Amino acid sequence: MLHRFSISRMDLLVGAVNAVIVLTWTLAQWVLHVRDTPGLNEELAWVMMFVSVVALFFRSAFPFTVALVTMVCTIVYYPASSTDGPMLMAFVIALYTLAALGRICAAGVIAGLVFLIVVVSEYLADFAHMTASETLMLSGWIIAVPAIGAVVAHYRRYRAETEVALAETQKRSVAEERLRIARELHDAVGHHLSLINVQTSAALRKLRKDPLYRTEETLQVIAETSHSSLRELRAMVGVLREPGEDSPTGPGPSLEQLPLLVDAARASGLEVDLRVDGRAALPVAVDAAAYRVVQESLTNVLRHAKAQRVQIKVVTGTSTLAVAVIDDGAGDAKGAKGAGNGLTGMRERAESLGGTFDAGPRDDGGFSVEATWPLEVDR
């Protein structure tokens, strides 16, 4: 608990400035014999002044206590002293500090109490120390001090809440970006690696049956697939580089690249029927999401469905884009239940852009994936 008694640099500075002004001003008036009205007890007045000066050094650690102490010292000082110095300054600073630190109600109560004491005492003394207008002006300033402190407290609270909100937004943005990168890696690289795995597995089976089997065509497909995978990886690395750095760039995923995707799947022995109905300028995010859904669907077919034939439909309407991937495989949703199949990522790609997603086994066998997007999105 000792840290609560430490004096911050700002408190030290404010306390020192207050001490210099109050003591210097009061001593100068005393030496020059500048007197107001005779004081009731000069020794008590000096004690109150020193207590008030010392207490202000701890205004941030004990704001309420310091405000009460300086209030009492101020109320006692002026009747007890014949020197009308700037003793009130310590109380004003303490009252402002109390309000600025969020103790607005306490500051208001103290200010109202002092207001009543000043007005009532001067009225009973027939305004012997100050005129009626000076009394009201002084009382008004005392009321205004906690109001100013309340404005500062609200600003500090607003700034703190804004900083917290910005920090949360940054954390959320980082999490979303990590999720996006994970989806891109899963969909792009995972698809190409699945094709390579299918091709190599098929080639190994054929080599076991026929040692003279020629693998040039299979190796060519593997080379092209790996080249596509490397190109997409370079594009991702380019996005992750700092701005201004030289980085390889390339076109983003798009439905225009579907023929290449279909050719790669056909090279793996899968019969693919691609049907495109309608064309329109698609939002970049929707175009990329639709391509990734088709790509991941083909990956799941190759890995899980044991299908012979796949039908891909792309329909572009006046307000929506719809894609469907339907296979004639086992249709037991094995791919949908297995870990790492990408269905969660596909659903996120659709729903994050205001679209819909549905996937599951068909009644007549096989598996279907359907997704739609609006052609107008916010991002």
Side-chain angles (χ1 to χ4, degrees):
M1 299 297 291
L2 292 177
H3 68 281
R4 295 190 60 192
F5 294 91
S6 63
I7 302 176
S8 68
R9 293 182 179 180
M10 183 57 67
D11 288 348
L12 184 62
L13 177 62
V14 172
V17 171
N18 174 74
V20 170
I21 293 175
V22 171
L23 295 177
T24 302
W25 192 318
T26 305
L27 288 174
Q29 286 184 315
W30 185 266
V31 172
L32 297 175
H33 301 285
V34 178
R35 302 285 191 272
D36 190 10
T37 57
L40 300 178
N41 191 324
E42 294 293 343
E43 291 79 7
L44 179 62
W46 283 100
V47 171
M48 292 296 99
M49 182 176 61
F50 280 112
V51 171
S52 176
V53 167
V54 173
L56 193 63
F57 284 94
F58 302 94
R59 66 189 183 102
S60 296
F62 308 98
F64 183 71
T65 303
V66 172
L68 287 178
V69 169
T70 54
M71 179 191 73
V72 172
C73 291
T74 302
I75 293 173
V76 173
Y77 172 82
Y78 283 103
S81 176
S82 61
T83 304
D84 187 13
M87 171 69 177
L88 184 64
M89 189 166 66
F91 170 64
V92 170
I93 296 173
L95 189 62
Y96 161 80
T97 302
L98 182 63
L101 292 178
R103 307 284 294 276
I104 300 173
C105 292
V109 170
I110 293 176
L113 180 61
V114 174
F115 173 82
L116 291 176
I117 292 175
V118 171
V119 172
V120 172
S121 62
E122 285 298 320
Y123 176 78
L124 295 177
D126 197 19
F127 299 100
H129 305 92
M130 295 182 292
T131 64
S133 60
E134 289 175 340
T135 302
L136 291 176
M137 184 177 297
L138 176 61
S139 302
W141 275 108
I142 293 174
I143 296 297
V145 167
I148 297 173
V151 172
V152 174
H154 284 301
Y155 170 73
R156 289 174 176 173
R157 188 180 301 112
Y158 167 77
R159 187 175 62 181
E161 292 174 352
T162 301
E163 291 176 353
V164 171
L166 287 175
E168 292 178 351
T169 300
Q170 291 176 350
K171 290 180 180 178
R172 188 162 52 250
S173 298
V174 170
E176 291 175 354
E177 184 64 14
R178 291 177 62 183
L179 180 61
R180 187 189 69 81
I181 294 173
R183 281 200 301 257
E184 290 293 328
L185 286 172
H186 179 277
D187 293 351
V189 180
H191 172 77
H192 294 307
L193 290 178
S194 294
L195 287 177
I196 292 173
N197 179 65
V198 170
Q199 290 287 341
T200 53
S201 298
L204 286 173
R205 284 195 299 269
K206 292 179 180 179
L207 281 174
R208 291 191 187 99
K209 295 179 180 179
D210 182 9
L212 299 178
Y213 171 71
R214 299 182 64 85
T215 60
E216 289 86 352
E217 183 178 352
T218 301
L219 291 176
Q220 180 64 32
V221 173
I222 293 174
E224 293 174 355
T225 304
S226 61
H227 178 73
S228 298
S229 179
L230 288 173
R231 185 175 64 248
E232 294 211 31
L233 275 177
R234 291 192 185 101
M236 291 182 194
V237 171
V239 172
L240 294 176
R241 286 184 183 273
E242 293 291 334
E245 292 186 16
D246 294 331
S247 58
T249 58
S254 168
L255 291 176
E256 297 294 331
Q257 302 171 12
L258 279 184
L260 297 177
L261 191 65
V262 169
D263 290 343
R266 287 171 178 166
S268 300
L270 190 65
E271 182 181 346
V272 183
D273 179 20
L274 174 62
R275 297 183 183 180
V276 179
D277 183 8
R279 290 186 179 276
L282 302 176
V284 175
V286 171
D287 196 10
Y291 175 84
R292 291 304 190 198
V293 167
V294 175
Q295 183 184 53
E296 180 59 24
S297 298
L298 285 176
T299 301
N300 283 346
V301 171
L302 290 170
R303 295 177 58 188
H304 306 292
K306 300 178 182 179
Q308 299 296 323
R309 187 172 182 272
V310 175
Q311 185 178 51
I312 301 173
K313 298 179 182 179
V314 179
V315 180
T316 305
T318 57
S319 60
T320 59
L321 168 70
V323 299
V325 180
I326 304 170
D327 67 71
D328 62 352
D332 58 356
K334 192 173 182 179
K337 296 178 181 177
N341 56 78
L343 287 182
T344 300
M346 286 191 280
R347 183 179 299 279
E348 291 172 351
R349 288 186 183 279
E351 295 180 351
S352 65
L353 296 173
T356 63
F357 179 82
D358 183 58
R362 304 170 63 208
D363 294 337
D364 56 350
F367 198 85
S368 68
V369 173
E370 298 177 354
T372 64
W373 292 267
L375 295 185
E376 294 184 3
V377 295
D378 296 334
R379 50 178 178 168

